[in-house]
Amino acid sequence: MGDTLTLEQRVGQLFIIGLPGTSIDKTSEKLLKDISPAGVCLFARNCKNAPEIRNLLDDVRKETAY
């Protein structure tokens, strides 16, 4: 797995990031694809209800699949 990551993605693995809302916007999508962070930290702004959280986490997984 490590050999297929770009330098930016390897560095990104050092970061855990937060997202601005309950869904992934274009900026967040690009960030997730470009740096492939080690994780995503959820905050109150991301947690309106359980189905939205599930959808957000599913979308994060899709964007960071490598």
Side-chain angles (χ1 to χ4, degrees):
M1 176 176 82
D3 294 335
T4 63
L5 298 177
T6 66
L7 177 60
E8 289 81 6
Q9 290 170 327
R10 288 182 190 193
V11 172
Q13 289 289 297
L14 301 173
F15 293 96
I16 296 175
I17 64 169
L19 298 172
T22 58
S23 63
I24 296 179
D25 60 8
K26 291 294 182 189
T27 303
S28 299
E29 180 180 334
K30 182 168 174 28
L31 182 65
L32 289 167
K33 284 183 179 180
D34 288 350
I35 70 165
S36 297
V40 173
C41 184
L42 298 181
F43 296 96
R45 65 180 176 253
N46 307 114
C47 303
K48 302 299 182 210
N49 58 55
E52 283 186 348
I53 296 168
R54 176 80 271 150
N55 290 335
L56 177 61
L57 293 176
D58 287 344
D59 290 344
V60 167
R61 281 192 199 99
K62 287 177 194 171
E63 298 301 331
T64 57
Y66 44 83

